[in-house]
């Protein structure tokens, strides 16, 4: 068993904490993992990505080879498309639907969505909207993780534990808020696939 | 012990703490910063009173580390690759003096220049200084090398260079930690005390000693468990894989290598195993992240010996980091990518944060400089380098730490008017102060803007050695009080800022303006902490 995941977004959206939750969960599940992150200059409003590799055998490369990612999880619709060359033919893209427009030449969103129409496997959700409705407006990234959890080789309860460990320092209510967001994301992810 | 999920940087930090570290001396720089930050936030490090304050620059860091080693304690000094240029004088000469307490210098190189101005490969510094270099292939090796490295350094009496690259520094994996060792007591080495006095008479003796040590270093590489020769599969092409290149090689042979392979993670090169590899095949492909260091050594300048492939013959790209994909191509295998990047994609370059004080400084400066068509703005390394990008396009240079002030001086002396420097607070105390003294001594016609955000911003907000001291430093260096101004870079102060800039451009001498407003990122973090 091996799952290769690209996490994508814009600096400051919460991609790295999302990666950290999955990483903690995988390690707790006794799995091998490697997760390459981007720090430094690229965090300031630039594109951010993380390569996350989970396996029941030791993982060699820190980077995912082209054409091998099983999953792209993205907090921004155009950013997900940047990593399409990494996606394998049966891979899924799970993305937030709303563009993050901090550049003057962002393409028309309709053009972005046209690319999605050509992809065989995708889940497109407005996770910010869902998070707002939950009363936890800052946990859109964890809603997205909940939706993507259906494609992860990790027990849902392990993800919940991952959230407890990663957000534990920030207090009980932050943990509770994120657990709620994870649950909601899972529910909606389910509905998206089966309807 | 339990496996911990650690970045390569964090594995190095944890290993140092566990191995009985007494001090870490560093200057922030991507991708090395997290090593020192991890030690700063470690409760075990606090308990053990490990010294972990940031230094003014990499040179002061390595020198301070040498002082701690002199006093018998274990010490580590961490920097990005270009930081070792700043520390090179100290580094090269620690190889002459040698050390007492175990000393490890970490160079975090950045091939592909994710956050850097060049992609120099600091294994070259290892060869240059004639010191052993370690290059881990994974996070566990990084941990083990540092854990064992202090003892090796003490046994050899020399510092060790640990070279990592971005993908090792910033990739996380499970790491098995080991038993925590006691710290060294303070002890001054009474054996050959003159070795620290590098007068020619001593230096000549020390250089002979260093040269004599080379065989021991090489034999250590040949006997190292980090260097491994795999001769199970015979093939005409043998492969040398250095550091993390070994992972990319393994990735492409999930069921075992089809070639003879030599993994190298400890230098100087293991000659014995290289001879064995060369004897077993007709050609050697060298996989190494960074410069073709090993490739050049094996090939020789005239290329008359071994048939060596790698970055120099086009088997791999000459520049940029290795990936599993370019390694795959070099191995003659196909890379298949079912989806391609769509044409609508546009780049998303990093930008100054909304609300950042540097923005207000550039806005005011740009407005004034419309009146001075000959203006040249020399800038420096930091967040404010992003002022080069639209919408500001406000600067004309960014070379190395501190070069803004000295370049502005040189340009002014060549006739540029107005010649302006824009430098950050931390960069100013890192390497700008000496340049300012040059300006004052020459009464150069320059305007120096020290854009002070009270932190080292680009690397994530580490303490700046300059905080609260810039005015006193400038006065002490000799800037005339009438031409040293402070201002808060806010919209409401635009007109005042512009008036000061205009006035000081017109003053024929050294002027310093210090726009000061805290970085909005560190400010937000403090507000959050206080709320809790």
């Amino acid at each position: 068993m091996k799952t290769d995941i690209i996490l994508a977004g814009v600096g400051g959206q919460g991609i790295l904490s999302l990666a950290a939750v999955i990483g903690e969960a995988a390690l707790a599940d006794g799995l091998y993992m490697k997760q390459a992150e981007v720090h430094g200059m690229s965090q300031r409003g630039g594109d951010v990505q993380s390569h996350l590799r989970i396996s029941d055998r030791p993982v060699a490369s820190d980077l995912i080879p082209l054409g091998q990612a099983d999953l792209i999880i993205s907090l921004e619709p155009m950013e997900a498309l940047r990593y399409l060359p990494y996606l394998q033919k049966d891979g899924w893209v799970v993305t937030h639907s709303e563009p993050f427009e901090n550049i003057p030449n962002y393409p028309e969103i309709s053009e972005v969505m046209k690319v999605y129409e050509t992809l065989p496997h995708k889940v497109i959700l407005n996770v910010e909207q869902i998070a707002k409705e939950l009363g936890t407006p800052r946990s859109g990234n964890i809603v997205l993780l909940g939706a993507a959890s259906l494609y992860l080789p990790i027990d849902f309860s392990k993800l919940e534990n991952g959230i407890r460990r990663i957000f534990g320092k920030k207090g009980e209510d932050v943990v509770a808020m994120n657990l709620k967001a994870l649950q909601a994301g899972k529910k909606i992810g389910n509905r998206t696939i089966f309807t | 012990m339990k496996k911990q999920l650690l970045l390569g940087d964090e594995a190095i930090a944890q290993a140092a703490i566990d191995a009985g570290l007494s001090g870490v001396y560093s200057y922030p720089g991507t991708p090395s910063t997290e090593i020192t930050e991890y030690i700063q936030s470690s409760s075990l490090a606090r308990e053990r009173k490990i010294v972990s304050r940031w230094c003014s620059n990499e040179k002061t860091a390595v020198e301070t580390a040498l002082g701690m080693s002199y006093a018998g304690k274990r010490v580590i000094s961490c920097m990005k690759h270009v930081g070792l240029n700043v520390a090179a004088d100290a580094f090269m000469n620690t190889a002459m003096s040698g050390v007492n307490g175990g000393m490890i210098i970490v160079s975090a190189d950045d091939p592909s220049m994710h956050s850097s101005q060049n992609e120099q490969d600091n294994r070259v510094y290892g060869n240059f200084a004639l010191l052993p270099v370690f290059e881990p292939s994974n996070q566990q090796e990084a941990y083990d090398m540092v854990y064992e490295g202090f003892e090796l350094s003490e046994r050899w009496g020399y510092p060790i260079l640990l070279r990592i690259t971005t993908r090792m520094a910033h990739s996380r994996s499970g790491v098995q930690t080991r038993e925590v060792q006691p710290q060294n007591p303070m002890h001054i080495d009474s054996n050959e005390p003159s070795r620290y006095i590098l007068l020619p008479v001593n230096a000549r003796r020390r250089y002979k000693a260093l040269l004599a040590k080379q065989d021991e270093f090489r034999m250590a590489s040949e006997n190292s468990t980090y260097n491994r020769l795999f001769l199970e599969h015979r093939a005409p092409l043998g492969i040398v894989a250095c550091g993390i290149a070994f992972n990319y090689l393994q990735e492409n042979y999930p069921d075992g290598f089809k070639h003879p392979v030599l993994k190298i993670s400890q230098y100087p090169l293991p000659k014995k195993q290289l001879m064995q590899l060369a004897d077993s095949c007709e050609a050697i492909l060298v996989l190494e992240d960074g410069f073709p260091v090993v490739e050049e050594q094996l090939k020789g300048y005239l290329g008359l010996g071994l048939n060596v492939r790698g970055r120099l013959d086009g088997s791999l790209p000459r520049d940029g980091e290795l990936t599993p994909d370019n390694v795959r191509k070099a191995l003659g295998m196909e890379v298949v990518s079912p989806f391609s990047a769509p044409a609508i994609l546009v780049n998303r370059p990093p930008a100054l944060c909304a609300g950042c004080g540097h923005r207000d400084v550039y806005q005011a400066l740009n407005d004034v400089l419309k009146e001075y068509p000959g203006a040249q703005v020399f800038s420096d390394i930091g967040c404010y380098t992003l002022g080069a990008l639209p919408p500001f396009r406000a600067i004309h240079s960014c070379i190395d730490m501190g070069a803004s002030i000295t370049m502005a001086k040189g340009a002014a002396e060549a006739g540029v008017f107005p010649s302006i420097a824009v430098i950050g607070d931390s960069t100013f105390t890192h390497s700008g102060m000496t340049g300012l003294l040059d300006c004052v001594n020459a009464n150069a016609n320059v305007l120096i803007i020290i854009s002070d955000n009270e932190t080292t911003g680009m690397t994530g907000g580490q303490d700046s050695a300059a905080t609260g001291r810039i005015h006193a430093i400038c006065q002490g260096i000799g800037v005339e009080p009438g031409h040293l101004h402070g201002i808060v870079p806010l919209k409401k102060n635009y007109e005042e800022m512009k008036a000061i800039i205009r006035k000081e451009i017109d003053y024929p001498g050294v002027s310093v303006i210090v726009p000061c407003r805290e970085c909005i990122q560190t400010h937000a973090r403090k507000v959050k902490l206080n709320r809790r």
Side-chain angles (χ1 to χ4, degrees):
Chain A
M1 184 282 296
K2 176 171 74 75
T3 305
D4 286 337
I5 307 160
I6 302 254
L7 297 144
V10 180
Q13 279 191 313
I15 273 298
L16 295 183
S17 42
L18 205 162
V21 171
I22 304 177
E24 279 287 336
L27 202 68
D29 232 356
L31 297 169
Y32 291 94
M33 64 149 296
K34 277 192 176 171
Q35 183 223 326
E37 306 178 346
V38 179
H39 294 198
M41 200 174 219
S42 33
Q43 275 182 55
R44 279 171 219 292
D47 53 281
V48 168
Q49 41 125 342
S50 171
H51 289 218
L52 180 54
R53 317 193 70 192
I54 303 168
S55 175
D56 54 5
R57 290 173 52 185
V59 179
S61 168
D62 298 82
L63 297 175
I64 298 170
L66 290 167
Q68 280 198 30
D70 303 285
L71 185 59
I72 295 174
I73 303 177
S74 178
L75 282 162
E76 210 284 339
M78 182 183 74
E79 289 307 322
L81 303 180
R82 207 181 287 286
Y83 306 102
L84 282 183
Y86 285 95
L87 196 65
Q88 56 122 318
K89 64 179 190 339
D90 301 318
W92 282 79
V93 179
V94 180
T95 186
H96 176 44
S97 58
E98 301 308 298
F100 188 103
E101 292 191 43
N102 63 343
I103 41 175
N105 55 341
Y106 194 94
E108 286 298 323
I109 185 66
S110 57
E111 294 297 311
V112 174
M113 287 304 151
K114 262 187 212 156
V115 179
Y116 277 94
E117 283 165 24
T118 68
L119 298 178
H121 308 297
K122 69 260 176 180
V123 177
I124 306 165
L125 294 171
N126 187 339
V127 295
E128 267 168 27
Q129 185 61 35
I130 298 163
K132 237 178 249 163
E133 283 164 15
L134 284 174
T136 61
R138 303 200 43 204
S139 57
N141 58 339
I142 301 300
V143 173
L144 190 72
L145 175 60
S149 68
L150 304 160
Y151 310 95
L152 293 173
I154 302 167
D155 241 28
F156 192 75
S157 64
K158 296 277 169 31
L159 286 176
E160 292 179 315
N161 286 338
I163 284 187
R164 289 189 186 101
R165 263 191 305 275
I166 296 292
F167 295 104
K169 279 178 280 185
K170 300 187 174 177
E172 260 316 297
D173 25 329
V174 178
V175 170
M177 181 181 94
N178 281 296
L179 286 175
K180 199 165 131 190
L182 187 74
Q183 194 59 253
K186 183 187 172 193
K187 235 185 237 165
I188 290 178
N190 255 325
R191 225 189 295 146
T192 319
I193 296 167
F194 298 116
T195 54
Chain B
M1 276 186 210
K2 191 179 150 263
K3 253 192 181 179
Q4 292 187 54
L5 188 55
L6 298 175
L7 289 176
D9 276 351
E10 296 170 343
I12 290 166
Q14 184 65 52
I17 298 169
D18 293 345
L21 187 77
S22 290
V24 55
Y25 297 101
S26 308
Y27 184 80
T30 312
S32 72
T33 314
E34 292 83 357
I35 305 171
T36 304
E37 283 187 327
Y38 184 93
I39 298 174
Q40 287 175 335
S41 62
S42 151
S43 52
L44 179 58
R46 249 193 315 277
E47 214 174 277
R48 307 193 121 204
K49 300 196 164 51
I50 294 175
V51 183
S52 63
R53 253 187 93 111
W54 293 107
C55 298
S56 290
N57 66 35
E58 294 85 354
K59 179 171 181 285
T60 68
V62 170
E63 290 158 350
T64 318
L66 181 61
M68 184 169 264
S69 163
Y70 178 95
K73 301 204 173 190
R74 293 186 169 180
V75 65
I76 194 166
S77 182
C78 314
M79 59 210 67
K80 68 182 296 167
H81 55 343
V82 286
L84 192 52
N85 298 335
V86 177
D89 200 3
F91 174 73
M92 293 299 292
N93 291 308
T94 57
M96 297 291 284
S97 68
V99 300
N100 181 21
M103 175 160 157
I104 297 178
I105 292 150
V106 183
S107 166
D109 297 2
D110 190 19
S112 277
M113 297 174 261
H114 298 280
S115 289
S116 306
Q117 72 270 44
N118 77 23
E119 61 173 32
Q120 70 184 57
D121 183 331
N122 281 358
R123 288 178 300 167
V124 172
Y125 267 117
N127 289 342
F128 195 20
L130 300 172
L131 288 176
V133 179
F134 288 73
E135 188 188 17
S137 69
N138 59 43
Q139 292 78 358
Q140 185 67 54
E141 270 190 359
Y143 180 92
D144 294 337
M145 284 171 171
V146 171
Y147 189 85
E148 296 158 8
F150 291 104
E151 203 191 318
L152 272 177
S153 164
E154 283 164 12
R155 198 188 312 150
W156 286 331
Y158 284 95
I160 281 172
L161 180 65
L162 182 80
R163 187 249 183 177
I164 56 172
T165 53
T166 305
R167 299 302 181 181
M168 168 59 49
H170 286 172
S171 177
R172 228 176 268 280
S173 188
V175 174
Q176 195 83 50
T177 60
R178 302 205 226 167
E179 197 186 337
V180 180
Q181 292 187 38
Q183 291 162 296
N184 286 353
M186 195 190 89
H187 65 102
I188 306 291
D189 190 8
S190 54
N191 174 41
E192 200 193 341
S194 67
R195 68 187 171 114
Y196 294 99
I197 309 168
L198 292 177
L199 279 168
V201 58
N202 297 330
R204 287 183 201 115
R205 190 184 70 246
R206 288 301 300 171
Y207 188 44
K208 284 189 197 302
L210 177 63
L211 292 172
K213 201 79 182 173
Q214 297 304 305
D215 278 343
E216 190 181 338
F217 292 158
R218 178 182 45 77
M219 281 190 284
S221 289
E222 290 168 349
N223 296 323
S224 167
T225 52
Y226 302 122
N227 295 337
R228 269 185 75 189
L229 183 61
F230 301 81
L231 282 181
E232 296 78 14
H233 288 273
R234 298 287 165 155
L237 182 70
I239 298 168
V240 170
C242 306
I244 61 167
F246 183 70
N247 303 344
Y248 301 144
L249 180 65
Q250 274 187 313
E251 183 70 30
N252 284 299
Y253 293 108
D255 304 314
F257 302 129
K258 306 277 189 291
H259 299 268
V261 169
L262 175 58
K263 167 184 181 287
I264 298 181
S265 285
Q266 183 175 337
Y267 307 80
L269 289 173
K271 194 168 188 176
K272 193 173 83 184
Q273 286 86 347
L274 278 167
M275 297 282 278
Q276 280 176 276
L277 183 75
D279 283 344
S280 77
C281 54
E282 292 157 23
I284 295 176
L285 172 68
V286 182
L287 307 173
E288 50 190 331
D289 213 1
F291 287 4
V293 176
V294 174
E295 188 182 345
E296 272 182 342
Q297 280 177 298
L298 293 186
K299 197 176 191 133
Y301 183 69
L302 294 178
L304 295 176
L306 291 173
N307 179 357
V308 182
R309 297 181 203 162
R311 289 184 183 268
L312 295 172
D313 76 335
S315 297
L316 285 156
R318 179 63 181 80
D319 64 330
E321 65 183 344
L322 293 182
T323 65
D325 312 307
N326 57 27
V327 167
R328 188 173 180 82
K329 280 185 198 149
L331 294 165
M333 291 186 262
E334 204 190 345
V335 175
V336 184
S337 203
F339 301 94
S340 46
I344 55 151
L345 280 183
V346 290
N347 287 336
R348 198 189 292 267
L352 288 168
C353 305
C356 168
H358 296 315
R359 282 182 173 267
D360 297 306
V361 172
Y362 280 132
Q363 192 66 57
L365 183 64
N366 276 355
D367 280 354
V368 173
L369 292 189
K370 282 179 197 147
E371 303 156 25
Y372 297 89
Q376 298 295 315
V377 180
F378 302 92
S379 192
D380 229 299
I381 313 267
C383 285
Y384 48 91
T385 317
L386 297 172
L389 307 176
F392 300 108
R393 299 185 192 278
I395 63 171
H396 299 105
S397 78
C398 161
I399 304 290
D400 69 62
M401 295 287 281
S404 58
I405 294 178
T406 29
M407 278 183 76
K409 174 176 183 279
E413 288 168 353
V416 167
F417 175 79
S419 189
I420 299 169
V422 177
I423 186 170
D425 50 312
S426 182
T427 307
F428 175 66
T429 43
H430 179 290
S431 289
M433 298 187 293
T434 44
L436 179 59
L437 181 60
D438 284 352
C439 290
V440 167
N441 283 341
N443 194 29
N445 188 9
V446 292
L447 166 60
I448 296 160
I449 298 175
I450 305 174
S451 194
D452 181 5
N453 61 1
E454 303 184 304
T455 190
T456 314
M458 186 55 109
T459 45
Q462 294 74 29
D463 290 339
S464 160
T467 301
R469 300 181 191 282
I470 293 177
H471 289 264
I473 291 170
C474 291
Q475 275 174 22
I477 286 175
V479 177
E480 283 177 35
H483 297 284
L484 172 61
H485 305 267
I487 186 147
V488 182
L490 282 169
K491 279 207 174 52
K492 63 173 187 189
N493 297 336
Y494 263 13
E495 289 312 314
E496 193 187 344
M497 237 190 313
K498 280 160 62 178
I500 297 173
I501 292 171
R502 210 175 279 122
K503 173 181 154 244
E504 292 305 335
I505 285 176
D506 292 337
Y507 168 68
V510 180
S511 320
V512 177
I513 304 175
V514 189
C516 177
R517 178 153 69 79
E518 191 183 4
C519 164
I520 60 157
Q521 300 289 353
T522 58
H523 179 73
R525 212 179 304 154
K526 278 182 203 160
V527 170
K528 230 181 194 177
L529 274 175
N530 288 340
R531 230 183 268 150
R532 235 173 260 155

